[in-house]
PDB file of all heavy atoms in Angstrom:
ATOM      1  N   ASP N  23     -47.562  57.578 -27.263  1.00  0.00           N
ATOM      2  CA  ASP N  23     -47.011  56.941 -28.523  1.00  0.00           C
ATOM      3  C   ASP N  23     -46.093  57.894 -29.257  1.00  0.00           C
ATOM      4  O   ASP N  23     -45.434  57.416 -30.236  1.00  0.00           O
ATOM      5  CB  ASP N  23     -48.185  56.669 -29.389  1.00  0.00           C
ATOM      6  CG  ASP N  23     -49.010  55.502 -28.877  1.00  0.00           C
ATOM      7  OD1 ASP N  23     -48.617  54.736 -28.068  1.00  0.00           O
ATOM      8  OD2 ASP N  23     -50.365  55.526 -29.323  1.00  0.00           O
ATOM      9  N   ASP N  24     -45.916  59.135 -28.941  1.00  0.00           N
ATOM     10  CA  ASP N  24     -45.055  60.071 -29.625  1.00  0.00           C
ATOM     11  C   ASP N  24     -43.615  59.753 -29.081  1.00  0.00           C
ATOM     12  O   ASP N  24     -43.282  59.915 -27.903  1.00  0.00           O
ATOM     13  CB  ASP N  24     -45.440  61.444 -29.240  1.00  0.00           C
ATOM     14  CG  ASP N  24     -44.664  62.550 -29.981  1.00  0.00           C
ATOM     15  OD1 ASP N  24     -43.516  62.280 -30.297  1.00  0.00           O
ATOM     16  OD2 ASP N  24     -45.260  63.541 -30.301  1.00  0.00           O
ATOM     17  N   PRO N  25     -42.755  59.425 -30.074  1.00  0.00           N
ATOM     18  CA  PRO N  25     -41.293  59.096 -29.669  1.00  0.00           C
ATOM     19  C   PRO N  25     -40.585  60.242 -29.061  1.00  0.00           C
ATOM     20  O   PRO N  25     -39.644  60.017 -28.175  1.00  0.00           O
ATOM     21  CB  PRO N  25     -40.687  58.682 -30.961  1.00  0.00           C
ATOM     22  CG  PRO N  25     -41.600  59.155 -32.095  1.00  0.00           C
ATOM     23  CD  PRO N  25     -42.919  59.301 -31.468  1.00  0.00           C
ATOM     24  N   ARG N  26     -40.891  61.391 -29.312  1.00  0.00           N
ATOM     25  CA  ARG N  26     -40.244  62.647 -28.717  1.00  0.00           C
ATOM     26  C   ARG N  26     -40.513  62.597 -27.260  1.00  0.00           C
ATOM     27  O   ARG N  26     -39.679  62.843 -26.442  1.00  0.00           O
ATOM     28  CB  ARG N  26     -40.683  63.992 -29.342  1.00  0.00           C
ATOM     29  CG  ARG N  26     -40.257  64.098 -30.875  1.00  0.00           C
ATOM     30  CD  ARG N  26     -40.969  65.291 -31.427  1.00  0.00           C
ATOM     31  NE  ARG N  26     -42.427  65.173 -31.281  1.00  0.00           N
ATOM     32  CZ  ARG N  26     -43.323  66.123 -31.405  1.00  0.00           C
ATOM     33  NH1 ARG N  26     -42.810  67.369 -31.759  1.00  0.00           N
ATOM     34  NH2 ARG N  26     -44.587  65.971 -31.286  1.00  0.00           N
ATOM     35  N   PHE N  27     -41.871  62.440 -26.931  1.00  0.00           N
ATOM     36  CA  PHE N  27     -42.274  62.471 -25.494  1.00  0.00           C
ATOM     37  C   PHE N  27     -41.643  61.278 -24.752  1.00  0.00           C
ATOM     38  O   PHE N  27     -41.225  61.333 -23.651  1.00  0.00           O
ATOM     39  CB  PHE N  27     -43.699  62.536 -25.302  1.00  0.00           C
ATOM     40  CG  PHE N  27     -44.316  63.853 -25.405  1.00  0.00           C
ATOM     41  CD1 PHE N  27     -44.751  64.302 -26.693  1.00  0.00           C
ATOM     42  CD2 PHE N  27     -44.224  64.759 -24.291  1.00  0.00           C
ATOM     43  CE1 PHE N  27     -45.207  65.654 -26.697  1.00  0.00           C
ATOM     44  CE2 PHE N  27     -44.860  65.987 -24.485  1.00  0.00           C
ATOM     45  CZ  PHE N  27     -45.382  66.454 -25.702  1.00  0.00           C
ATOM     46  N   GLY N  28     -41.714  60.073 -25.454  1.00  0.00           N
ATOM     47  CA  GLY N  28     -41.248  58.854 -24.917  1.00  0.00           C
ATOM     48  C   GLY N  28     -39.666  58.944 -24.451  1.00  0.00           C
ATOM     49  O   GLY N  28     -39.340  58.491 -23.428  1.00  0.00           O
ATOM     50  N   SER N  29     -38.946  59.608 -25.376  1.00  0.00           N
ATOM     51  CA  SER N  29     -37.540  59.627 -25.169  1.00  0.00           C
ATOM     52  C   SER N  29     -37.206  60.651 -23.976  1.00  0.00           C
ATOM     53  O   SER N  29     -36.401  60.459 -23.207  1.00  0.00           O
ATOM     54  CB  SER N  29     -36.837  60.187 -26.425  1.00  0.00           C
ATOM     55  OG  SER N  29     -35.499  60.534 -26.207  1.00  0.00           O
ATOM     56  N   TYR N  30     -37.969  61.809 -24.007  1.00  0.00           N
ATOM     57  CA  TYR N  30     -37.773  62.865 -22.941  1.00  0.00           C
ATOM     58  C   TYR N  30     -38.247  62.180 -21.611  1.00  0.00           C
ATOM     59  O   TYR N  30     -37.407  62.361 -20.638  1.00  0.00           O
ATOM     60  CB  TYR N  30     -38.623  64.055 -23.325  1.00  0.00           C
ATOM     61  CG  TYR N  30     -38.500  65.123 -22.286  1.00  0.00           C
ATOM     62  CD1 TYR N  30     -37.423  65.994 -22.329  1.00  0.00           C
ATOM     63  CD2 TYR N  30     -39.411  65.383 -21.274  1.00  0.00           C
ATOM     64  CE1 TYR N  30     -37.245  67.047 -21.391  1.00  0.00           C
ATOM     65  CE2 TYR N  30     -39.258  66.325 -20.364  1.00  0.00           C
ATOM     66  CZ  TYR N  30     -38.155  67.139 -20.387  1.00  0.00           C
ATOM     67  OH  TYR N  30     -38.053  68.191 -19.480  1.00  0.00           O
ATOM     68  N   ILE N  31     -39.384  61.565 -21.551  1.00  0.00           N
ATOM     69  CA  ILE N  31     -39.826  60.978 -20.251  1.00  0.00           C
ATOM     70  C   ILE N  31     -38.829  60.011 -19.708  1.00  0.00           C
ATOM     71  O   ILE N  31     -38.636  59.878 -18.549  1.00  0.00           O
ATOM     72  CB  ILE N  31     -41.236  60.457 -20.445  1.00  0.00           C
ATOM     73  CG1 ILE N  31     -42.212  61.694 -20.649  1.00  0.00           C
ATOM     74  CG2 ILE N  31     -41.692  59.691 -19.218  1.00  0.00           C
ATOM     75  CD1 ILE N  31     -43.626  61.306 -21.155  1.00  0.00           C
ATOM     76  N   GLU N  32     -38.343  59.193 -20.586  1.00  0.00           N
ATOM     77  CA  GLU N  32     -37.371  58.115 -20.273  1.00  0.00           C
ATOM     78  C   GLU N  32     -36.133  58.716 -19.662  1.00  0.00           C
ATOM     79  O   GLU N  32     -35.608  58.257 -18.566  1.00  0.00           O
ATOM     80  CB  GLU N  32     -37.063  57.214 -21.510  1.00  0.00           C
ATOM     81  CG  GLU N  32     -35.764  56.380 -21.348  1.00  0.00           C
ATOM     82  CD  GLU N  32     -35.817  55.383 -20.215  1.00  0.00           C
ATOM     83  OE1 GLU N  32     -36.931  54.950 -19.800  1.00  0.00           O
ATOM     84  OE2 GLU N  32     -34.790  54.944 -19.647  1.00  0.00           O
ATOM     85  N   GLU N  33     -35.669  59.750 -20.256  1.00  0.00           N
ATOM     86  CA  GLU N  33     -34.470  60.421 -19.671  1.00  0.00           C
ATOM     87  C   GLU N  33     -34.687  61.004 -18.298  1.00  0.00           C
ATOM     88  O   GLU N  33     -33.850  60.843 -17.396  1.00  0.00           O
ATOM     89  CB  GLU N  33     -34.042  61.640 -20.621  1.00  0.00           C
ATOM     90  CG  GLU N  33     -32.829  62.348 -20.125  1.00  0.00           C
ATOM     91  CD  GLU N  33     -32.427  63.597 -20.835  1.00  0.00           C
ATOM     92  OE1 GLU N  33     -32.941  63.884 -21.876  1.00  0.00           O
ATOM     93  OE2 GLU N  33     -31.589  64.367 -20.313  1.00  0.00           O
ATOM     94  N   VAL N  34     -35.744  61.775 -18.142  1.00  0.00           N
ATOM     95  CA  VAL N  34     -35.924  62.436 -16.794  1.00  0.00           C
ATOM     96  C   VAL N  34     -36.212  61.414 -15.792  1.00  0.00           C
ATOM     97  O   VAL N  34     -35.863  61.518 -14.624  1.00  0.00           O
ATOM     98  CB  VAL N  34     -37.099  63.484 -16.874  1.00  0.00           C
ATOM     99  CG1 VAL N  34     -36.646  64.629 -17.741  1.00  0.00           C
ATOM    100  CG2 VAL N  34     -38.460  62.977 -17.278  1.00  0.00           C
ATOM    101  N   ARG N  35     -36.875  60.168 -16.133  1.00  0.00           N
ATOM    102  CA  ARG N  35     -37.059  59.210 -15.058  1.00  0.00           C
ATOM    103  C   ARG N  35     -35.796  58.479 -14.836  1.00  0.00           C
ATOM    104  O   ARG N  35     -35.468  58.264 -13.603  1.00  0.00           O
ATOM    105  CB  ARG N  35     -38.155  58.116 -15.687  1.00  0.00           C
ATOM    106  CG  ARG N  35     -39.555  58.696 -15.590  1.00  0.00           C
ATOM    107  CD  ARG N  35     -40.574  57.617 -15.952  1.00  0.00           C
ATOM    108  NE  ARG N  35     -41.829  58.173 -15.859  1.00  0.00           N
ATOM    109  CZ  ARG N  35     -42.986  57.777 -16.507  1.00  0.00           C
ATOM    110  NH1 ARG N  35     -42.763  56.855 -17.346  1.00  0.00           N
ATOM    111  NH2 ARG N  35     -44.102  58.396 -16.441  1.00  0.00           N
ATOM    112  N   ARG N  36     -35.024  58.214 -15.874  1.00  0.00           N
ATOM    113  CA  ARG N  36     -33.736  57.439 -15.605  1.00  0.00           C
ATOM    114  C   ARG N  36     -32.839  58.259 -14.738  1.00  0.00           C
ATOM    115  O   ARG N  36     -32.210  57.669 -13.853  1.00  0.00           O
ATOM    116  CB  ARG N  36     -33.063  57.195 -16.950  1.00  0.00           C
ATOM    117  CG  ARG N  36     -31.676  56.481 -16.933  1.00  0.00           C
ATOM    118  CD  ARG N  36     -31.133  56.179 -18.321  1.00  0.00           C
ATOM    119  NE  ARG N  36     -31.309  57.241 -19.284  1.00  0.00           N
ATOM    120  CZ  ARG N  36     -30.587  58.282 -19.421  1.00  0.00           C
ATOM    121  NH1 ARG N  36     -29.618  58.491 -18.556  1.00  0.00           N
ATOM    122  NH2 ARG N  36     -30.811  59.147 -20.365  1.00  0.00           N
ATOM    123  N   ARG N  37     -32.810  59.569 -14.939  1.00  0.00           N
ATOM    124  CA  ARG N  37     -31.963  60.426 -14.238  1.00  0.00           C
ATOM    125  C   ARG N  37     -32.582  60.945 -12.963  1.00  0.00           C
ATOM    126  O   ARG N  37     -31.950  61.630 -12.083  1.00  0.00           O
ATOM    127  CB  ARG N  37     -31.577  61.620 -15.060  1.00  0.00           C
ATOM    128  CG  ARG N  37     -30.679  61.285 -16.257  1.00  0.00           C
ATOM    129  CD  ARG N  37     -30.409  62.451 -17.142  1.00  0.00           C
ATOM    130  NE  ARG N  37     -29.605  63.495 -16.420  1.00  0.00           N
ATOM    131  CZ  ARG N  37     -29.588  64.731 -16.851  1.00  0.00           C
ATOM    132  NH1 ARG N  37     -30.292  65.130 -17.930  1.00  0.00           N
ATOM    133  NH2 ARG N  37     -28.935  65.654 -16.054  1.00  0.00           N
ATOM    134  N   ASP N  38     -33.844  60.543 -12.629  1.00  0.00           N
ATOM    135  CA  ASP N  38     -34.526  60.799 -11.400  1.00  0.00           C
ATOM    136  C   ASP N  38     -34.528  62.288 -11.146  1.00  0.00           C
ATOM    137  O   ASP N  38     -34.247  62.748 -10.073  1.00  0.00           O
ATOM    138  CB  ASP N  38     -33.921  59.976 -10.172  1.00  0.00           C
ATOM    139  CG  ASP N  38     -34.794  60.111  -8.984  1.00  0.00           C
ATOM    140  OD1 ASP N  38     -36.089  60.187  -9.147  1.00  0.00           O
ATOM    141  OD2 ASP N  38     -34.255  60.069  -7.931  1.00  0.00           O
ATOM    142  N   LEU N  39     -35.003  63.118 -12.146  1.00  0.00           N
ATOM    143  CA  LEU N  39     -34.920  64.545 -12.040  1.00  0.00           C
ATOM    144  C   LEU N  39     -36.214  65.207 -11.581  1.00  0.00           C
ATOM    145  O   LEU N  39     -36.270  66.182 -10.993  1.00  0.00           O
ATOM    146  CB  LEU N  39     -34.506  65.161 -13.305  1.00  0.00           C
ATOM    147  CG  LEU N  39     -33.078  64.775 -13.928  1.00  0.00           C
ATOM    148  CD1 LEU N  39     -32.974  65.413 -15.324  1.00  0.00           C
ATOM    149  CD2 LEU N  39     -32.037  65.128 -13.061  1.00  0.00           C
ATOM    150  N   VAL N  40     -37.322  64.571 -12.031  1.00  0.00           N
ATOM    151  CA  VAL N  40     -38.663  65.132 -11.730  1.00  0.00           C
ATOM    152  C   VAL N  40     -39.148  64.835 -10.322  1.00  0.00           C
ATOM    153  O   VAL N  40     -39.042  63.840  -9.836  1.00  0.00           O
ATOM    154  CB  VAL N  40     -39.705  64.582 -12.763  1.00  0.00           C
ATOM    155  CG1 VAL N  40     -41.087  65.204 -12.391  1.00  0.00           C
ATOM    156  CG2 VAL N  40     -39.301  65.035 -14.148  1.00  0.00           C
ATOM    157  N   ARG N  41     -39.574  65.980  -9.578  1.00  0.00           N
ATOM    158  CA  ARG N  41     -39.978  65.803  -8.271  1.00  0.00           C
ATOM    159  C   ARG N  41     -41.516  65.994  -8.142  1.00  0.00           C
ATOM    160  O   ARG N  41     -42.088  66.044  -7.087  1.00  0.00           O
ATOM    161  CB  ARG N  41     -39.335  66.883  -7.370  1.00  0.00           C
ATOM    162  CG  ARG N  41     -37.789  66.701  -7.235  1.00  0.00           C
ATOM    163  CD  ARG N  41     -37.461  65.396  -6.625  1.00  0.00           C
ATOM    164  NE  ARG N  41     -36.072  65.132  -6.502  1.00  0.00           N
ATOM    165  CZ  ARG N  41     -35.437  64.362  -7.245  1.00  0.00           C
ATOM    166  NH1 ARG N  41     -36.037  63.744  -8.186  1.00  0.00           N
ATOM    167  NH2 ARG N  41     -34.077  64.132  -7.058  1.00  0.00           N
ATOM    168  N   GLY N  42     -42.146  66.198  -9.183  1.00  0.00           N
ATOM    169  CA  GLY N  42     -43.617  66.365  -9.246  1.00  0.00           C
ATOM    170  C   GLY N  42     -44.034  67.148 -10.485  1.00  0.00           C
ATOM    171  O   GLY N  42     -43.196  67.694 -11.276  1.00  0.00           O
ATOM    172  N   GLY N  43     -45.305  67.301 -10.714  1.00  0.00           N
ATOM    173  CA  GLY N  43     -45.807  68.043 -11.772  1.00  0.00           C
ATOM    174  C   GLY N  43     -47.138  67.589 -12.264  1.00  0.00           C
ATOM    175  O   GLY N  43     -47.752  66.655 -11.637  1.00  0.00           O
ATOM    176  N   ALA N  44     -47.666  68.134 -13.280  1.00  0.00           N
ATOM    177  CA  ALA N  44     -48.987  67.746 -13.735  1.00  0.00           C
ATOM    178  C   ALA N  44     -49.214  68.334 -15.223  1.00  0.00           C
ATOM    179  O   ALA N  44     -48.672  69.423 -15.519  1.00  0.00           O
ATOM    180  CB  ALA N  44     -50.060  68.275 -12.838  1.00  0.00           C
ATOM    181  N   ARG N  45     -49.925  67.549 -15.900  1.00  0.00           N
ATOM    182  CA  ARG N  45     -50.374  67.983 -17.206  1.00  0.00           C
ATOM    183  C   ARG N  45     -51.702  68.697 -16.911  1.00  0.00           C
ATOM    184  O   ARG N  45     -52.541  68.136 -16.162  1.00  0.00           O
ATOM    185  CB  ARG N  45     -50.664  66.872 -18.219  1.00  0.00           C
ATOM    186  CG  ARG N  45     -51.099  67.240 -19.531  1.00  0.00           C
ATOM    187  CD  ARG N  45     -51.232  66.043 -20.470  1.00  0.00           C
ATOM    188  NE  ARG N  45     -51.789  66.444 -21.645  1.00  0.00           N
ATOM    189  CZ  ARG N  45     -52.340  65.634 -22.525  1.00  0.00           C
ATOM    190  NH1 ARG N  45     -52.299  64.369 -22.384  1.00  0.00           N
ATOM    191  NH2 ARG N  45     -52.838  66.244 -23.693  1.00  0.00           N
ATOM    192  N   LEU N  46     -51.901  69.813 -17.545  1.00  0.00           N
ATOM    193  CA  LEU N  46     -53.054  70.694 -17.325  1.00  0.00           C
ATOM    194  C   LEU N  46     -54.095  70.534 -18.430  1.00  0.00           C
ATOM    195  O   LEU N  46     -53.621  70.362 -19.605  1.00  0.00           O
ATOM    196  CB  LEU N  46     -52.765  72.128 -17.093  1.00  0.00           C
ATOM    197  CG  LEU N  46     -51.770  72.403 -15.999  1.00  0.00           C
ATOM    198  CD1 LEU N  46     -51.392  73.914 -15.955  1.00  0.00           C
ATOM    199  CD2 LEU N  46     -52.382  71.946 -14.605  1.00  0.00           C
ATOM    200  N   ARG N  47     -55.366  70.692 -18.213  1.00  0.00           N
ATOM    201  CA  ARG N  47     -56.343  70.649 -19.244  1.00  0.00           C
ATOM    202  C   ARG N  47     -56.176  71.949 -20.084  1.00  0.00           C
ATOM    203  O   ARG N  47     -55.489  72.927 -19.632  1.00  0.00           O
ATOM    204  CB  ARG N  47     -57.767  70.642 -18.583  1.00  0.00           C
ATOM    205  CG  ARG N  47     -57.795  69.220 -17.993  1.00  0.00           C
ATOM    206  CD  ARG N  47     -59.331  68.875 -17.630  1.00  0.00           C
ATOM    207  NE  ARG N  47     -60.278  69.046 -18.649  1.00  0.00           N
ATOM    208  CZ  ARG N  47     -60.634  68.105 -19.687  1.00  0.00           C
ATOM    209  NH1 ARG N  47     -59.967  66.977 -19.632  1.00  0.00           N
ATOM    210  NH2 ARG N  47     -61.531  68.455 -20.503  1.00  0.00           N
ATOM    211  N   PRO N  48     -56.798  72.106 -21.254  1.00  0.00           N
ATOM    212  CA  PRO N  48     -56.541  73.287 -22.120  1.00  0.00           C
ATOM    213  C   PRO N  48     -57.076  74.519 -21.403  1.00  0.00           C
ATOM    214  O   PRO N  48     -57.879  74.511 -20.560  1.00  0.00           O
ATOM    215  CB  PRO N  48     -57.463  72.857 -23.302  1.00  0.00           C
ATOM    216  CG  PRO N  48     -57.704  71.452 -23.375  1.00  0.00           C
ATOM    217  CD  PRO N  48     -57.608  71.042 -21.881  1.00  0.00           C
ATOM    218  N   ALA N  49     -56.570  75.633 -21.948  1.00  0.00           N
ATOM    219  CA  ALA N  49     -56.804  77.001 -21.398  1.00  0.00           C
ATOM    220  C   ALA N  49     -58.337  77.276 -21.417  1.00  0.00           C
ATOM    221  O   ALA N  49     -58.884  77.989 -20.628  1.00  0.00           O
ATOM    222  CB  ALA N  49     -56.010  78.014 -22.130  1.00  0.00           C
ATOM    223  N   SER N  50     -59.030  76.604 -22.435  1.00  0.00           N
ATOM    224  CA  SER N  50     -60.515  76.916 -22.631  1.00  0.00           C
ATOM    225  C   SER N  50     -61.196  76.261 -21.446  1.00  0.00           C
ATOM    226  O   SER N  50     -62.366  76.672 -21.129  1.00  0.00           O
ATOM    227  CB  SER N  50     -60.966  76.281 -23.849  1.00  0.00           C
ATOM    228  OG  SER N  50     -60.621  74.842 -23.853  1.00  0.00           O
ATOM    229  N   ASP N  51     -60.620  75.384 -20.618  1.00  0.00           N
ATOM    230  CA  ASP N  51     -61.228  74.778 -19.412  1.00  0.00           C
ATOM    231  C   ASP N  51     -60.959  75.606 -18.140  1.00  0.00           C
ATOM    232  O   ASP N  51     -61.442  75.290 -17.064  1.00  0.00           O
ATOM    233  CB  ASP N  51     -60.862  73.421 -19.210  1.00  0.00           C
ATOM    234  CG  ASP N  51     -61.422  72.457 -20.196  1.00  0.00           C
ATOM    235  OD1 ASP N  51     -62.163  72.941 -21.054  1.00  0.00           O
ATOM    236  OD2 ASP N  51     -60.967  71.284 -20.221  1.00  0.00           O
ATOM    237  N   ALA N  52     -60.153  76.728 -18.222  1.00  0.00           N
ATOM    238  CA  ALA N  52     -59.711  77.519 -17.114  1.00  0.00           C
ATOM    239  C   ALA N  52     -60.863  78.400 -16.615  1.00  0.00           C
ATOM    240  O   ALA N  52     -61.741  78.875 -17.379  1.00  0.00           O
ATOM    241  CB  ALA N  52     -58.533  78.327 -17.466  1.00  0.00           C
ATOM    242  N   THR N  53     -60.785  78.788 -15.337  1.00  0.00           N
ATOM    243  CA  THR N  53     -61.633  79.884 -14.777  1.00  0.00           C
ATOM    244  C   THR N  53     -60.646  80.758 -14.084  1.00  0.00           C
ATOM    245  O   THR N  53     -59.875  80.385 -13.170  1.00  0.00           O
ATOM    246  CB  THR N  53     -62.573  79.256 -13.825  1.00  0.00           C
ATOM    247  OG1 THR N  53     -63.479  78.371 -14.383  1.00  0.00           O
ATOM    248  CG2 THR N  53     -63.500  80.436 -13.154  1.00  0.00           C
ATOM    249  N   THR N  54     -60.654  81.968 -14.352  1.00  0.00           N
ATOM    250  CA  THR N  54     -59.807  82.966 -13.729  1.00  0.00           C
ATOM    251  C   THR N  54     -60.617  83.794 -12.625  1.00  0.00           C
ATOM    252  O   THR N  54     -61.750  84.155 -12.843  1.00  0.00           O
ATOM    253  CB  THR N  54     -59.325  83.969 -14.714  1.00  0.00           C
ATOM    254  OG1 THR N  54     -58.574  83.340 -15.700  1.00  0.00           O
ATOM    255  CG2 THR N  54     -58.465  85.032 -14.134  1.00  0.00           C
ATOM    256  N   VAL N  55     -60.074  83.829 -11.547  1.00  0.00           N
ATOM    257  CA  VAL N  55     -60.706  84.506 -10.366  1.00  0.00           C
ATOM    258  C   VAL N  55     -59.943  85.817 -10.015  1.00  0.00           C
ATOM    259  O   VAL N  55     -58.646  85.803  -9.846  1.00  0.00           O
ATOM    260  CB  VAL N  55     -60.559  83.521  -9.070  1.00  0.00           C
ATOM    261  CG1 VAL N  55     -61.210  84.217  -7.831  1.00  0.00           C
ATOM    262  CG2 VAL N  55     -61.230  82.199  -9.348  1.00  0.00           C
ATOM    263  N   ARG N  56     -60.657  86.837  -9.789  1.00  0.00           N
ATOM    264  CA  ARG N  56     -60.194  88.157  -9.473  1.00  0.00           C
ATOM    265  C   ARG N  56     -60.920  88.762  -8.329  1.00  0.00           C
ATOM    266  O   ARG N  56     -62.182  88.512  -8.352  1.00  0.00           O
ATOM    267  CB  ARG N  56     -60.210  89.179 -10.650  1.00  0.00           C
ATOM    268  CG  ARG N  56     -59.204  88.852 -11.818  1.00  0.00           C
ATOM    269  CD  ARG N  56     -59.389  89.902 -12.955  1.00  0.00           C
ATOM    270  NE  ARG N  56     -58.354  89.663 -13.938  1.00  0.00           N
ATOM    271  CZ  ARG N  56     -58.474  88.816 -14.968  1.00  0.00           C
ATOM    272  NH1 ARG N  56     -59.645  88.182 -15.112  1.00  0.00           N
ATOM    273  NH2 ARG N  56     -57.585  88.668 -15.868  1.00  0.00           N
TER     274      ARG N  56
END
Side-chain angles (χ1 to χ4, degrees):
D23 289 340
D24 186 324
R26 297 170 303 164
F27 279 95
S29 174
Y30 181 82
I31 291 167
E32 165 61 27
E33 176 187 353
V34 297
R35 284 184 179 157
R36 179 178 40 80
R37 294 178 58 202
D38 193 31
L39 301 176
V40 176
R41 298 293 179 258
R45 180 177 175 194
L46 304 176
R47 294 193 49 87
S50 59
D51 291 350
T53 300
T54 300
V55 179
R56 292 181 176 84

